Amino acid sequence: MAEEAGASKKPKKYTGILLHPTSLPGPYGIGELGASAYRFVDFLERSGLNTWQVLPLGHTGFGDSPYQPFSAFAGQPLIISLDHLKELHLLYDEDFRNMPAWNAEQINYGELIEFKTGLLKLAYSRFHDESLSDGIHDDPEMKQAYDNFCETSVWLKDYALFMAGKDYHQGMPWYMWEDNLKKPTKKQKETWAKKLDTEMGYYKFIQFLFYYEWTTLKKYANDKGISIVGDIPIFMAWDSVDVWANQSLFQLDSKGYPTVVAGVPPDYFSATGQLWGNPLYNWKKHTETGYEWWLNRIRYQLTLCDFLRIDHFRGFDKYWAIPYGEETAINGKWVEAPGVNFFTQLEATLGYHLPIIAEDLGEIDDSVIELRDKFGLPGMKVLQFAFENPEENDFLPHNFVRNCVCYTGTHDNDTTLGWYKHAYEASKDKLRRYFSTDGYDICWIMIRACFGSVANMAIVPMQDVLCLDSWARMNTPGVGEGNWAWRYKEDALTRELEARLYETCKMFGR
């Protein structure tokens, strides 16, 4: 998105909606990569939009957070299209007789996981027994795609063994397994793989389905001129295949326990900071390997999206290292990370300008800004933040540079309507004076400000497009339950809404 020096043409303006696929409508309790996803892409096109931003697409674990996945590579099986499995003759209508009655606007993850995992395993049992299927096995293109995926996905075998190992140990984290699987030799891995062959086959199967469905959907979007903005967390969950299979790349002791963990120090928002608990990278080892794991991760993610937002970008410059066992983040310290060297290597390997968005929110110092700007990476501007601060600040649109991404709010913010209702009167007063408005139709005032800014990319959450209150909020940081659950109803995508978005885009040359 950065402007090229001396370029005569204006950079393309990207304008779109932030919507995680889980929030799509549909009959099966969660958004899926089926018909509703294609209808959403069509809605974007008719609305004059050219960008769809999603949250991390990974296989989620306890807590259902897309920012704590089991793998840096594996996709979310819960969004696999069940209708697609019907088309492949791996599921049938009678398999859905005991389907729960779902809330159309909220995901019940506990019930959903049990229901959908059961159907995915049933589909795999039919796939595994070729005599029972007249679908995928009789489709040469699909069969070839499956074989190619299994052969070329170098991460797949470790992922499948890790997940099968978790099932074998009834969900127990890997660092509590027996030694010959907790830290296995190559031969021990092979022994376990033979023992868990059928279980591993299931995980390979669902990852193929996710990859096939997502890349098919992405091609459909790209063919309509719509770019996908993906997202990844900078740190991995402790109980993840990446930490288990690459223990030397993380700061762990001989038993697999972290010596230091991630978080952020005390600030204006929290007197004790934030203790995330993720194991921190052994950057010395990463450097020695030429950042191989990171390069593989970024390359793979860029097959799933066109731009990639990296959460907690400042961790590439310095990271807050908290001794393992601390109850708060207070006693951490800042440690240098090899940001310049890392991004230089990444850019050289990819061979083109990095299509990366730097999540540079929070307490940011000059060295983080220098790292971001050295590689021409756009930072983030959140309009809600512009009015929470009574002083002049960088989030006010008149201070924007072109190479940035403007949001009304993000997945961690309240919806714009909810935010405005609960904002301090001084914040509301500043907003009303800034936009010369009485605050009526606040969501679209902010959407117009976002689209009307000079930012090369302008993204608004679907909740703001629909003018929804706080009940539709995607995530409340620090609150452990009730997050990541919102969905919109099928009838929300009206022609009137398309027309309003289209008019707003054209008004501001987007």
Side-chain angles (χ1 to χ4, degrees), residues 36-65:
S36 64
Y38 288 83
R39 285 194 290 271
F40 179 69
V41 171
D42 293 341
F43 168 81
L44 292 175
E45 181 188 35
R46 290 194 297 266
S47 300
L49 304 172
N50 61 13
T51 311
W52 178 8
Q53 180 168 338
V54 298
L55 303 181
L57 292 167
H59 186 167
T60 54
F62 179 76
D64 311 307
S65 171

Side-chain angles (χ1 to χ4, degrees), residues 144 146-154 156:
Q144 185 62 51
Y146 174 77
D147 291 340
N148 288 344
F149 175 77
C150 291
E151 289 172 13
T152 59
S153 301
V154 295
L156 186 61

